[in-house]
């Protein structure tokens, strides 16, 4: 119910705690929302977001750009997991 | 590309943070708005790039997180300048040359006058008028109102059909075009004219074009005698005034005297010369050596534009050579005086009897008062008609009006 209200209000992702993942291809992913990096490696990038952990795995994974409200991840992305 | 340039100008450092939880440093940077470029982790080391000014901000959180933070490399303009501090003179030199070039391009160095044929007569006048209007070497090129100068030149030299001034960089080109004018018919029948004899003689030939001829070949005339009258009587006995025109050739005599002094003072230029150098930079003159006091002495001027690798500079070097004058008192011998006197006589003859035909010449030579004098008596055929304006109440007829 609480989440439904937030959705109805259409608040920004940072405030609502929601996130938005845009997969351009397997080499570029853009995440919008409030994130926290848990693990960064060349093969794995683990991010905590809205009580969920998102794991990007593959090869040569790197954070190309970041700002207060998002990331741009580049690399040979093979898996995206929600844990 | 632009991002890279901005990074280069701002200066950045490559660093690494070593520790088990180095990812937390990125989270700290995200929260605090510190930008780490290309963060990547490898073997417990977080590598990244950060702007030089923001590196200090990483130290405190790194200490809290138990990370060891180190600089790998410093890049950017700021660090490059610091590294090449000793070569600063070279950079300043280049900057000065560029600045000097820009400044110099704002001024006029050279003024050229170009145009179609026969512009040499106008070249100096055009330059003078341009100078009067402020178009001088050493003045700012954007200061001039070109159209005003063009109009002024056209107004002052009516012979020019067009004037165009183009200021390109430091050179002002004045292109002029001369009007192709036809010879204007100037009526000379403005006043009634009598023709009288300018000297005595015997008329040999008379051709009257206008007016009433009063003499005929064989007549002897005295100086001032009326030869052709302006008062013309037509077949209806009507009197009108004319501007008389006629060729009246008479046989007359003519005297020329030439005198040559035996003792003469001649001024000769000695080989010695004092040179004065004037350096003209952007319209201002600088005397290299001391000004000479003997400006009245004969001198030669040699103006030279200074160039550097075939590039003309706005500098002109004028060399004025003042020659010493030596006064020599010479006494000529008889033969030399005679030939000198004859030379003078021939010169006078050429000048005075240019339009006359010489029939005979008798010379008389004598020495008097230290002079060799030659008196030549000529018998010549020459036009003796002289115009004399008249005033009369008779109706005046202008032959140009008739046509």
């Amino acid at each position: 119910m609480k989440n439904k209200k937030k959705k109805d209000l259409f608040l920004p992702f940072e405030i609502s705690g929601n996130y938005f993942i845009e997969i351009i291809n397997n080499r570029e992913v853009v995440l919008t929302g409030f994130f926290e990096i848990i693990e960064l490696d060349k093969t794995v990038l683990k991010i905590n977001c809205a009580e969920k952990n998102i794991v990007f795995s593959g090869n040569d994974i790197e954070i190309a750009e970041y700002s207060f409200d998002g990331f741009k991840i580049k690399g040979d992305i093979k898996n995206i997991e929600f844990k | 590309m632009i991002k890279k340039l901005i990074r280069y100008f701002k200066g950045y450092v490559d660093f690494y943070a070593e520790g088990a939880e180095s990812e937390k440093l990125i989270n700290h940077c995200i929260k605090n708005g510190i930008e780490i470029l290309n963060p990547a982790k490898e073997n417990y080391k977080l590598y990244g790039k950060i702007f030089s000014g923001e590196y200090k901000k990483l130290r405190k959180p790194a200490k809290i997180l138990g990370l060891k933070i180190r600089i790998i490399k410093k890049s950017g303009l700021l660090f490059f300048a610091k590294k090449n501090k000793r070569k600063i003179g070279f950079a300043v030199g280049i900057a000065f040359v560029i600045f000097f070039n820009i400044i110099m391009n704002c001024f006029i160095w050279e003024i050229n006058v170009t145009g179609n044929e026969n512009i040499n007569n106008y070249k100096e006048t055009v330059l003078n008028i341009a100078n009067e209007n402020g178009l001088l070497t050493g003045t700012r090129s954007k200061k001039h109102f070109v159209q005003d100068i063009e109009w002024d030149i056209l107004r002052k030299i009516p012979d020019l059909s067009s004037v165009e001034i183009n200021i390109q960089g430091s050179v002002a080109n004045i292109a002029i075009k001369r009007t192709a004018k036809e010879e204007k018919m100037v009526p000379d029948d403005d006043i009634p004219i009598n023709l009288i004899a300018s000297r005595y003689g015997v008329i040999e030939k008379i051709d009257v074009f206008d007016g009433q001829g009063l003499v005929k070949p064989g007549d002897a005339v005295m100086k001032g005698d009326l030869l052709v009258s302006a008062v013309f009587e037509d077949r209806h006995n009507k009197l009108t005034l004319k501007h008389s025109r006629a060729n009246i050739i008479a046989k007359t005599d003519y005297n020329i005297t030439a005198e040559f002094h035996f003792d003469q003072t001649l001024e000769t230029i000695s080989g010695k010369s004092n040179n004065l150098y004037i350096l003209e930079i952007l319209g201002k003159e600088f005397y290299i050596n001391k000004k000479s006091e003997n400006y009245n002495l004969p001198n030669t001027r040699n103006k030279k534009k200074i160039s550097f690798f075939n590039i003309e500079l706005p500098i002109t070097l004028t060399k004025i050579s003042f020659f010493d004058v030596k006064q020599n008192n010479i006494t000529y011998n008889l033969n030399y005086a005679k030939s000198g006197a004859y030379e003078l006589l021939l010169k006078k003859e050429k000048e005075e009897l240019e339009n006359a035909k010489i029939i005979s010449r008798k010379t008389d030579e004598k020495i008097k008062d230290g002079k060799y004098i030659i008196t030549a008596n000529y018998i010549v055929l020459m036009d003796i008609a002289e115009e004399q304006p008249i005033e009369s109440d008779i109706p005046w007829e202008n032959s140009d009006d008739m046509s």
Side-chain angles (χ1 to χ4, degrees):
Chain A
M1 184 67 193
K2 201 180 170 185
N3 284 340
K4 198 177 177 280
K5 266 189 181 175
K6 280 180 186 172
K7 202 180 174 183
D8 291 345
L9 283 169
F10 197 72
L11 289 165
F13 297 118
E14 310 88 70
I15 298 165
S16 65
N18 269 329
Y19 52 86
F20 176 75
I21 301 173
E22 192 181 358
I23 302 166
I24 293 156
N25 51 36
N26 74 319
R27 301 204 62 84
E28 200 175 321
V29 174
V30 179
L31 293 98
T32 315
F34 186 74
F35 300 91
E36 197 177 339
I37 298 164
I38 296 167
E39 197 185 332
L40 173 67
D41 206 338
K42 279 209 164 181
T43 52
V44 177
L45 173 65
K46 196 188 261 183
I47 292 165
N48 178 264
C49 182
E51 296 159 9
K52 277 268 179 195
N53 285 343
I54 310 165
V55 182
F56 296 88
S57 56
N59 296 318
D60 300 323
I61 292 172
E62 60 169 22
I63 298 167
E65 279 173 35
Y66 70 78
S67 67
F68 185 73
D69 60 347
F71 284 96
K72 189 192 256 186
I73 301 159
K74 277 187 176 177
D76 183 16
I77 301 158
K78 284 179 178 165
N79 284 310
I80 303 172
E81 284 179 73
F82 294 88
K83 286 183 179 174
Chain B
M1 184 67 191
I2 294 163
K3 273 185 182 177
K4 275 185 182 176
L5 263 176
I6 293 165
R7 273 183 218 166
Y8 184 78
F9 281 110
K10 280 176 93 175
Y12 59 92
V13 289
D14 286 32
F15 74 99
Y16 71 87
E18 194 176 2
E21 293 180 318
S22 50
E23 291 90 348
K24 285 186 178 174
L25 187 69
I26 303 174
N27 293 330
H28 173 84
C29 290
I30 293 168
K31 281 174 193 168
N32 292 289
I34 302 165
E35 196 182 356
I36 297 175
L37 308 164
N38 307 325
K41 200 181 169 189
E42 207 177 326
N43 303 329
Y44 298 104
K45 279 184 182 173
L46 175 77
Y47 294 90
K49 288 172 182 174
I50 192 163
F51 288 117
S52 54
E54 292 183 327
Y55 179 73
K56 281 180 190 174
K57 293 177 187 173
L58 291 181
R59 279 182 186 161
K60 206 176 172 183
K63 204 176 178 182
I64 295 163
L65 294 165
L67 301 171
K68 206 164 90 182
I69 188 164
R70 292 281 180 274
I71 292 172
I72 303 165
K73 196 176 125 190
K74 291 175 182 175
S75 312
L77 186 69
L78 194 75
F79 299 110
F80 178 80
K82 273 186 183 175
K83 203 176 166 184
N84 297 291
K85 212 175 179 179
R86 285 182 184 176
K87 295 169 189 168
I88 199 94
F90 181 68
V92 169
I94 290 172
F96 176 75
V97 167
I98 294 165
F99 181 72
F100 183 76
N101 208 5
I102 292 165
I103 293 292
M104 281 294 127
N105 263 319
C106 297
F107 292 92
I108 290 171
W109 289 9
E110 204 180 325
I111 303 168
N112 294 325
V113 180
T114 53
N116 56 1
E117 78 281 359
N118 302 327
I119 64 145
N120 286 340
N121 306 333
Y122 304 102
K123 211 171 178 178
E124 209 163 305
T125 325
V126 167
L127 274 175
N128 286 339
I129 297 166
N131 291 352
E132 279 169 23
N133 283 281
L135 187 66
L136 293 155
T137 52
T139 51
R140 268 181 53 223
S141 50
K142 288 194 177 169
K143 179 186 137 185
H144 305 289
F145 296 103
V146 168
Q147 212 173 28
D148 289 355
I149 304 168
E150 287 172 354
W151 275 111
D152 201 37
I153 293 170
L154 277 175
R155 192 171 56 81
K156 286 180 180 167
I157 312 173
D159 283 0
L160 299 181
S161 64
S162 83
V163 176
E164 203 178 304
I165 301 173
N166 292 311
I167 298 173
Q168 291 169 330
S170 54
V171 181
N173 283 313
I174 307 173
I176 58 172
K177 217 180 243 179
R178 198 170 157 245
T179 324
K181 275 185 179 172
E182 283 178 16
E183 282 295 320
K184 214 173 177 182
M185 294 287 281
V186 183
D188 56 355
D189 289 356
D190 46 357
I191 44 169
I193 294 274
N194 274 338
L195 293 181
I196 57 164
S198 61
R199 56 196 307 116
Y200 71 88
V202 178
I203 305 296
E204 286 283 320
K205 194 182 167 193
I206 178 162
D207 295 322
V208 179
F209 309 116
D210 244 334
Q212 187 82 50
L214 300 176
V215 287
K216 55 184 188 299
D219 287 357
V221 290
M222 295 302 287
K223 188 183 177 185
D225 281 358
L226 188 61
L227 304 176
V228 180
S229 173
V231 183
F232 183 80
E233 189 181 354
D234 62 14
R235 55 187 171 168
H236 306 294
N237 298 330
K238 190 188 165 191
L239 295 174
T240 50
L241 288 177
K242 296 252 179 196
H243 181 120
S244 307
R245 281 195 217 92
N247 279 339
I248 302 163
I249 307 295
K251 190 190 267 182
T252 181
D253 62 355
Y254 199 92
N255 295 330
I256 297 174
T257 310
E259 294 175 350
F260 193 88
H261 288 263
F262 282 97
D263 296 321
Q264 284 188 30
T265 307
L266 288 179
E267 287 188 340
T268 53
I269 294 167
S270 71
K272 281 184 183 177
S273 65
N274 291 319
N275 295 331
L276 175 68
Y277 292 94
I278 304 167
L279 204 63
E280 197 183 318
I281 304 169
L282 296 169
K284 290 193 176 169
E285 288 184 346
F286 300 95
Y287 288 84
I288 293 176
N289 47 0
K290 211 180 168 185
K291 277 186 186 180
S292 174
E293 290 169 5
N294 303 319
Y295 270 104
N296 296 327
L297 289 176
N299 57 63
T300 57
R301 272 171 186 263
N302 188 9
K303 223 172 185 183
K304 196 179 167 189
K305 280 219 160 193
I306 293 172
S307 58
F308 181 71
F309 287 108
N310 288 334
I311 301 163
E312 277 198 356
L313 300 176
I315 306 166
T316 317
L317 182 73
T318 312
K319 181 187 170 187
I320 310 171
S321 303
F322 293 98
F323 295 99
D324 289 340
V325 175
K326 215 176 173 182
Q327 287 192 335
N328 301 310
N329 291 321
I330 298 169
T331 307
Y332 291 103
N333 61 24
L334 190 69
N335 284 338
Y336 201 95
K338 191 181 174 182
S339 61
Y342 266 104
E343 208 171 292
L344 279 173
L345 181 76
L346 289 173
K347 201 178 167 189
K348 278 188 174 180
E349 186 185 297
K350 205 176 176 188
E351 281 170 11
E352 292 175 32
L353 299 174
E354 196 188 353
N355 298 318
K357 190 184 173 188
I358 298 166
I359 297 168
S360 69
R361 182 177 75 176
K362 268 184 188 174
T363 54
D364 180 31
E365 297 164 17
K366 64 180 176 187
I367 298 164
K368 197 182 172 187
D369 301 334
K371 287 184 276 187
Y372 196 94
I373 304 165
I374 301 173
T375 310
N377 296 309
Y378 297 89
I379 292 176
V380 290
L381 287 174
M382 65 188 294
D383 191 346
I384 58 161
E386 189 185 315
E387 289 189 344
Q388 190 190 49
I390 58 160
E391 282 179 17
S392 172
D393 295 331
I394 300 169
W396 155 239
E397 181 195 88
N398 190 326
S399 61
D400 280 0
D401 292 343
M402 286 174 80
S403 63

